[in-house]
Structures are given as C-alpha cells and as structure tokens.
Amino acid sequence: MKTSLAWLNEYLDEPLALDEVAVNQLAEQVARTSVEIDSYTTIARQQDGLVVAKVLSVNPHPDSDHMVITQIDAGESEPIQIVTGAPNVAAGQFVILAKVGAHIINHDSGELVTLSAVSLRGQMSYGMLVALQEIGFDSKIAPKDFEAGIYVFGPDDGVKPGDDAIAALGMNEPVLDTDLTPNRSDMLSMIGTAYEFGAMRQVKVQEPDFELVEYETPADGQISIQIDDPSLAPKYALRVVNQVTVKDSPLWLQKKLWNAGMRPINNIVDITNYMMLMYGQPLHAFDLDKLSHKDIHVRLANDNESLVTLDGQNRALRSGKDIVIASGQDGLMLAGVMGGTSSEVDANTKNIVIEGAIFNPSLIRATARRHNLHSEASARFERGVNWDNTFTALDHAASLADDLADGQVARGRIEAANQQREAVHLSLTAKRVNQILGTSLDVAAIAGYFDQLAFTYQINGDQILVDVPARRPDISIEADLIEEVARLFGYDNLPLTLPYGPTTPGKLSLLQRQIRGTRRILESLGLNQAISYVLTTPNKAQLFAENSADSVVTLDYPMSSDRTTARQNLLAGLLDDVVYNAAHAVHDIALYEQGRVFIAKQEDQQPAEIEHVAGVLTGSRLESTWQKGKQAKAVDFYDMKGMVESYLQQIGVSDVSYQATSRHLNMHPGQTADVYAGTEYLGFVGQIHPRLTKAQKLSPVFGFELNIFAVLKNVHSSVSYRPISRFPQMSRDIALLVDSQVSSAEIEDTIHKTAGHHLVDVTLFDEYTGNNLPENKKSLAYTLTYQDNDETLVEAEVNADFESVISGLQSQFNVTIR
C-alpha cells in the first residue's frame, strides 16, 4: 500500500519529519520492525519551474484554428504571454505554468526536457500550460485524460498566482510503498498504519472526527434491504443522500488519492475511495434514481446471470457462488469486488445510496480469482476489515457527501445486519515471553509494549489479560502477542546464544542415497531426467498402471480438466514428453523420470505413495556422431533391457530374471518382460504398444518402469569403488569350434571360472556358421584381457592362465582350438 506520510501525520500527536534523511531512517525502522518497504518516493522527480498561474485573457491565434493566445498572471510584475492548444483553457482559471527554463516530463518518452521561449506561427510563447501527465503524473492516477486538456484548479483550492505548483499538488510529499503480508490487513488503512507507526515511535494516535447532520427526509422511505443468508453479509447498512451535486473533488482530497495511487473520478466516488484508504473499509455508491426497484437485495447469483462491471466487461456470474447486490432481479454489482455500470454515479446523479458492509471473505476471494478481478476492495475484504469501523466509515462518507457535494443526508441509517464480532481475549505471562524470546522482561515492560500498540489489558500478578482490538484480526493466539512484543523490543536486541545440548551430524539416509544413486546411474547410461505433472487425466493415470481401473485418486476441485487425477505410473508422462520432442523435430530421445505414484486405498484413507523410476528410448543408437550416416541403428528391446540390467547390477540387485509376458495391455505382447529379483516382482521392460505410438506418429518407443522401493529392498550386495589399474593390459585371442547348441554365455562362464584372478574382460568378437565347418558346429572367437592392479604382468603368468582356460573348455565342452 502507498502511504503518504503527510496524510499519516494528520493522525499522529507528534508528526513525522518529512526530510529525506528522516524518511530514510523511518523506512529502515519500518522494514526492521513491521513490514517490508518496496520503495519510498515522491511523484516529483527532477521537475522544477512549475508555478500556479491565473489566466487573464484568451484570444484567438490569427494564423491557427486550434491555438489561442493567453495572458497569464504568474505572480510577477508583468503578465506572461502563452500560446497554447489546450481545448479547455478559459479566462479566470487557475492553471499550472511551466516557465521558460522549467524542467518537465515528455509525455511520450518520459524523459526530462527543458522549456525555452518559442515562436508558434509568428506568436511568441514564454512557457507552457501543462496537463498533469506532462509534469510526471502517471495516466492511471491523473484525474483527466491527457487529451482533455490542461489541469485546472478548483475555486476553493486555496491557490494564488506564483505558488509553487509542485507543493500545491502534493508532488513533493514522501510516500512509502509497503509490501504487506496477507495477515497485516490493518495496514491497508491509514488509521491502521498510524497505529503501527505510533507503536514504533511511541506516539499516540488520534482517529478522525466528523459531524453528521441528518435532514428530515427519512431514508427508509426511499430504500429497503433484503439479505437471503446472513452468512453472506454479517454487517450491512445503507445511507441515503439526496440532492447531491456531482463535480470534481477539492484539491486536498485529490492529493490524498493520487499519492495513494488512485485516480480521482468525482466527489462521490472519491469520498468512497477516501474512506476505504482511511478506514480500510470499502464502500460503494449507487445512483438511487437508476435503481429499477427501491430495494437492495443481497443474494447469490442466479442461473445464467451476467453483469457489466465498471471496467466495461460483461461477466458471466457463477450461480450460487458469486455474491450479487441487486435491485429486484437486476444485478447492480459484484459484492465486495466491483460495481456495475447500470447504477454508476455520473454527472447527472442527484440522489445516492452509500453501502457499507462486511462480506463473506471466502466467497469474495473465490469471486475475485474466478473473474480475475482483484480490486482494492476485494483485497481488503479477503484479508479482513475492521469490524468496528464499518458503520463509522459509512456515516463519515455521508457527512462528506453533505460537505463536498452539497447533499442532504436522509434521516436514519438503514441496517439489515449487524452481527457482533466475537471478542478476542488472550493472556500471557512474563515467564512465557522470556522463555520464547530469551529475554528478561518484567510484566511492566511487556505491558508498556501493549500501551504502545493501544491495546487494552489487565494485569493479574504475572499474567497479562489482553483485549485484542477489531483492527488487528491477525492476532488470535498467544504466540501472536509474543510476536508483537518481539517486534517492538527489536529483533536486533534479542540476546544471541549458541545452540546447546546434544547434536547429530546431518546426512542423507541410506534410502535417500540410493534414490540419488538411481538418478546418477541412469544419467551415466545416457538418459536425461524429465519431470512431469503429478496430476493428469484418468486415462493417462492408469495407462501403464498395475492396479484395477476403479481405484484412482481424484481431486474434488481440480485446476483444470487435464489435471484431475493423481498419476499411477510414470511412463504415460514420459510418453507425452516423447510426443512433445518429436513434434519439435527431436527424434533420438532417451529420458528417465523418478517420482511418486499414488495408489488409492479405502475412501477415508490417504493414498499410498510409492517411489517409481521409468525410462524411454526411441530413435537411433549411435556409436559416434561421424558414423551416423553409415552405422545408425534403431534402438530395440535389448537396448532398453540392457539399461535396466546395468542399473540393477550397479545398484546392487542380484538374482535378476526376466519373464516374457503379455499381461500389460499397453505394452507390445511379444516384446515385453516382467522383471524379478528372485521371486519378487520389480516392474517391467519392453516396447510400448504400437497402437499408442502409431496414433502419435512415433517411431517404436521402448520403456521400463520399476518400483524403487521393491528394488532397494532387494539390494543385497554392496557396490564399492575399485581404482583403475595403472599397469598395462595383456590380451589373448582364442577361436573355438563347438557344438551349435552350446551358448556363448556358457563358454564365457567357464572362461571366468578357469582363468585365474588376472582376467578382467571377455569379449566375443566373431561367430561363424556355414561352409568349411562340420555339421552342427559353429566357430566362436574371443578376446581375453588380463591385468593386475598391483604390478606389471609377465608372459609366463598370462600363458599359464590362458592354458588353464583352454584345458577347462576342452574338458567341459570338448572344443577344438582353431
């Protein structure tokens, strides 16, 4: 909220200093004690040379049909000639003159420019009459559009020729822009902010006073109220003001509004905004004569109801959800959010109805979000307004309508609801405060802080009984009171202590290390991590799930129709990622995802959360980039199975087996296998069913999904680091003639068993069947690699181990060495 310090001083017994040094110190104090300061500034920047001037005469320009020649009294000995094209200039006006040498803001570029005397079609102009936008006002807060012409002071604004226009307009008043947390709704009002600043500076606050004069015409004869449900508006009242004159507000009121970041509209609308800023209580004014029925109806929106709000948007209301203020069946406004155009106050308005209410904050918040219509009013109703000031603000607004709009306040305030606030009484002890804050404050010192806050309290021994005022809805428990003491005591003044007692070193659990290890292993195998939405559609949630179709976890209030159901598998999300990449001309894809899936239990139980890991491969497998043209090969089932196998081996799972299966309906029935560790099911690996991939115009996609909890439960062997040997390797090649039914795996197993402890690798580099071989025979050729971690191998050792391998193969398989 933008807080004008000059306005704030009206409520403080000891005014704040407004010089730059004092404002800097105040901003620092506020940031350390209360809320963050987003910025502090003034509307004026480097502008100067701006004075109040009176238009003495206006004459046509002889060579222009849109410019005029004016004589201006700027408080100097001689009038100043100004040539202007302002459409609204007239003799007798008090306007803003930028004299020769003045610095003003270029309306188009926002840059600072220096004025000089110029000749406009043969007539000299010694300065410029300006609009507010030309001297630094944002168009959002300037009371008139730039095209409407120059700014004109009102007859009662108390200005005279030669006055400093920057000071007259309040452009030099420092403004703190506070970045409020949602709980500090009290600081969305000037009075609430005054109490906060008064507490920090130990200064008393004087709330504004006013006199309300009622005329003889009764209000209840002009309007009535009906509320369907008391929970919609626990407080609701109206004031009627007759014979108002709608015009521009006086300068003092306009200054308050534009320094608070609000645009002055007219005196009636400005009064309601002024009350909102002062009390934090939003009000709304209706044109009484525009109401189709002389009753106000507070209700929920009807079916197929719509309303054109003041921003010109036709909004479709949500039946039974949006609170509507209506006249008969005609909607007048979205309660607590924005008024409607049908009852808008304009220049022809003569009789007004001012509404003061407290609306259901939950419904206001939902309406503002639903219509994307976050207004100053909704921000206050959502957070909570001062319950005790609702009708005070209403009466004050009616009094101002009498003063500033020459209206007549009808006799009687029409109250439809006046639910009493539930009083908040809290207690705390000095012992408790000191225990929490580490201080040594006594009861009198703590009570002194409540005096600063202007809270009423009673002292009963070591106990303080505090009555929390309605302006502080954020205080509801003992801890809130202790926080107030801490703020005013000063966080920087709290004693510093070191932690004491036993401590434990922070480290990851075994499960956390293994889950992180899973990610590292899969990335080392060439997969990139993907992150998908946990929420998806019911179909995708169960696409590759193991459980039955009726056990899903759905949200009661989903964010969209595509995010209604908690996922039960990861592969569906990865398949979406493949589709996205393929659509963007990326065809070689290797992804994995690790995360939770959610399995429904009984209706009144939380779903089970199970950690899964899944991966997908599609496109080509390349040995190196320069070989792509000749040796590119499409990935297949064995590439995916090899990654799963490597992962399980590296994570420490032994006794892994794969069983062909067709039970997964969305996997290829001939290229899918279930993965087991012993007898325990871990997951599956295979090709995603072609009907899914062809529908998305994808190449064959291979994937796997494993239950990490089941995988980690079967980790039985510890995986440890072995240093790479710095000694050279030696190799031997061997070609064997064996029976065709003997597998390579059996040969390799025998080689490992008989080769001794220096063998580090066995590679099959050739297999031959065909001519020049005996019937039912095949030729297998292997490279055996030997290495020692401690010393350089010698030929004799390798030859001995190699002979041992040959003997073992001959005795086991009756092989012939070729």
Side-chain angles (χ1 to χ4, degrees), residues 536-595:
T536 183
T537 63
N539 179 50
K540 290 181 181 179
Q542 296 183 291
L543 204 57
F544 302 97
E546 303 281 349
N547 54 308
S548 60
D550 58 348
S551 53
V552 294
V553 180
T554 58
L555 301 185
D556 289 335
Y557 301 101
M559 67 179 79
S560 72
S561 59
D562 294 332
R563 304 279 179 256
T564 63
T565 309
R567 66 186 179 189
Q568 295 184 337
N569 69 92
L570 302 181
L571 264 182
L574 288 174
L575 187 58
D576 285 343
D577 296 338
V578 172
V579 172
Y580 178 86
N581 279 274
H584 290 76
V586 179
H587 303 294
D588 300 332
I589 303 167
L591 300 173
Y592 82 93
E593 180 170 7
Q594 173 251 311

Side-chain angles (χ1 to χ4, degrees), residues 699-742:
S699 301
V701 179
F702 299 87
F704 74 89
E705 183 152 351
L706 302 176
N707 181 334
I708 289 186
F709 290 159
V711 169
L712 299 183
K713 188 169 67 172
N714 287 276
V715 172
H716 300 300
S717 59
S718 60
V719 180
S720 58
Y721 165 77
R722 290 189 302 174
I724 298 175
S725 175
R726 56 191 179 90
F727 298 101
Q729 296 178 342
M730 297 181 68
S731 63
R732 294 288 187 271
D733 291 344
I734 184 172
L736 309 173
L737 186 66
V738 299
D739 294 338
S740 57
Q741 68 269 21
V742 176

Side-chain angles (χ1 to χ4, degrees), residues 151 156 210 212 439 490 507 522 553 726 749 763 777 803:
Y151 180 77
D156 300 322
F210 63 92
L212 177 65
T439 53
K507 64 178 182 179
L522 293 176
V553 180
R726 56 191 179 90
D749 184 57
T763 303
K777 294 288 185 178
E803 290 298 329

Side-chain angles (χ1 to χ4, degrees), residues 228-299:
D228 284 355
D229 183 348
S231 67
L232 301 180
K235 295 193 77 168
Y236 195 95
L238 301 175
R239 277 284 185 184
V240 177
V241 185
N242 303 115
Q243 302 304 315
V244 298
T245 301
V246 179
K247 56 186 178 181
D248 289 341
S249 297
L251 180 60
W252 67 264
L253 178 52
Q254 292 190 55
K255 285 196 297 186
K256 284 179 165 55
L257 294 180
W258 62 49
N259 274 318
M262 301 191 73
R263 183 180 191 179
I265 305 297
N266 58 54
N267 52 358
I268 300 301
V269 175
D270 293 351
I271 286 169
T272 60
N273 287 333
Y274 178 43
M275 293 296 96
M276 179 179 67
L277 293 172
M278 179 188 296
Y279 292 100
Q281 172 63 56
L283 304 175
H284 187 75
F286 305 99
D287 186 326
L288 177 60
D289 299 320
K290 291 182 180 179
L291 303 185
S292 58
H293 297 75
K294 300 309 177 186
D295 69 287
I296 295 294
H297 189 186
V298 183
R299 58 172 173 78

Side-chain angles (χ1 to χ4, degrees), residues 11 158 281 316 339 395 566 585 602 663:
Y11 310 123
Q281 172 63 56
D395 290 346
Q602 296 181 11
R663 69 184 186 88

